[in-house]
Amino acid sequence: MSEKKKWMPRWFYQLASPRWSYEIMGKLLPWFAIAAAVLLVIGVVWGLAFAPPERYQGNSYRIIFIHVPSAFLAQSCYLLMAIAGAIGLIWKMKVADLVAKSCAPIGASLAVLALATGAIWGKPTWGAWWVWDARLTSMLILLFLYLGVIALNSAIESDAMAAKATTVLSLVGVVNIPIIQYSVEWWNTLHQPATFKITGKAAMDMQMWAPLLVMVIGFYCFFAVSLMMRTRNEILYRERRSSWVRELIEKQRG
């Protein structure tokens, strides 16, 4: 093994194999699907039926059980897309490019969900569906970045060229993530500071924080399921002429 490979774990290079990646994702899918289903059901019932009303916002605050996880995940998905694209660009891993490509529509959907639920929450809280707040505006830019990646993937016929172009756009757009995260601290905005923190003391009661944490983890498990399903489909399409895909199709037919 070369000196360059010694410091990298074996599984990292195994990911370069479309067949190995396809099979390992297939083994992980059921576990993540079960975890997502259980956590989301528990989180929704706990948050909507058992969490107490908020002192000032009453029951309208309950939309955070959808809004906060979708906003978190929209940002995490973008970071994953950029990292996967960079790995594909540097190490020439086709599977990494496919992961990056699969992230874009999922992330765009999450950004739309975060913006929509934020608007629904904002109406009773601020008296308006939309304001050009720093947090909201930077979140809208995130959606446009996702749409730009999707458009580039559709417009460029060469898979290699599309992967390079979308990776460049993704890496440039990463600067927007800290802006989303810290905009409420850097500028005077209507959007409230973060009430949910993985580390540090939460700015909300444990009876509200606990079901929200369950929902966040459930959303991440659901994202993993969606990403693996899309990536597996991309692998099958890219490798449709390879012998192992043909064997797989014949096995399923038989």
Side-chain angles (χ1 to χ4, degrees):
M1 184 178 292
S2 66
E3 290 295 328
K4 183 180 179 180
K5 291 187 176 182
K6 282 184 179 179
W7 61 280
M8 298 300 293
R10 182 181 177 184
W11 61 262
F12 182 83
Y13 294 100
Q14 286 178 316
L15 286 173
S17 167
R19 182 173 185 174
W20 188 88
S21 296
Y22 181 87
E23 291 175 351
I24 195 67
M25 288 179 193
K27 293 176 181 178
L28 293 174
L29 259 173
W31 297 102
F32 277 95
I34 293 170
V38 171
L39 289 170
L40 290 176
V41 169
I42 292 174
V44 167
V45 173
W46 191 355
L48 297 184
F50 296 101
E54 205 273 334
R55 182 184 303 177
Y56 302 107
Q57 299 180 40
N59 286 318
S60 65
Y61 89 97
R62 296 184 192 276
I63 202 167
I64 68 171
F65 296 110
I66 303 296
H67 173 70
V68 171
S70 59
F72 271 14
L73 203 45
Q75 298 172 65
S76 299
C77 183
Y78 191 91
L79 287 175
L80 177 60
M81 181 176 68
I83 293 170
I87 291 173
L89 186 65
I90 297 169
W91 282 280
K92 311 299 180 185
M93 289 186 178
K94 290 189 294 183
V95 175
D97 290 334
L98 298 181
V99 169
K101 183 179 180 180
S102 300
C103 281
I106 301 173
S109 300
L110 290 165
V112 169
L113 181 60
L115 289 168
T117 52
I120 295 170
W121 191 9
K123 180 61 177 176
T125 304
W126 302 332
W129 296 101
W130 178 267
V131 292
W132 290 102
D133 176 88
R135 172 66 65 82
L136 273 65
T137 304
S138 53
M139 197 69 190
L140 182 62
I141 292 172
L142 181 67
L143 173 59
F144 290 154
L145 288 167
Y146 276 126
L147 296 178
V149 170
I150 295 171
L152 279 177
N153 272 318
S154 301
I156 302 174
E157 294 185 4
S158 169
D159 293 332
M161 291 300 297
K164 289 179 181 179
T166 54
T167 296
V168 171
L169 177 58
S170 300
L171 291 174
V172 171
V174 166
V175 70
N176 188 51
I177 300 301
I179 294 176
I180 296 174
Q181 188 67 27
Y182 298 107
S183 57
V184 294
E185 300 175 13
W186 292 345
W187 296 289
N188 183 22
T189 69
L190 281 176
H191 198 288
Q192 67 188 57
T195 54
F196 178 82
K197 299 177 180 179
I198 301 297
T199 58
K201 186 178 179 180
M204 61 193 309
D205 189 87
M206 178 59 71
Q207 291 178 299
M208 304 173 185
W209 185 89
L212 182 54
L213 177 61
V214 172
M215 286 295 291
V216 169
I217 299 173
F219 260 70
Y220 273 93
C221 290
F222 178 75
F223 165 71
V225 171
S226 302
L227 180 60
M228 286 189 286
M229 290 179 66
R230 291 192 67 92
T231 304
R232 275 162 60 89
N233 287 337
E234 290 288 343
I235 290 173
L236 289 179
Y237 181 76
R238 292 280 185 95
E239 300 293 313
R240 61 189 181 278
R241 295 185 180 88
S242 63
S243 59
W244 72 270
V245 173
R246 293 176 183 174
E247 291 173 4
L248 182 64
I249 294 173
E250 290 298 326
K251 184 178 179 180
Q252 291 181 346
R253 286 178 178 175

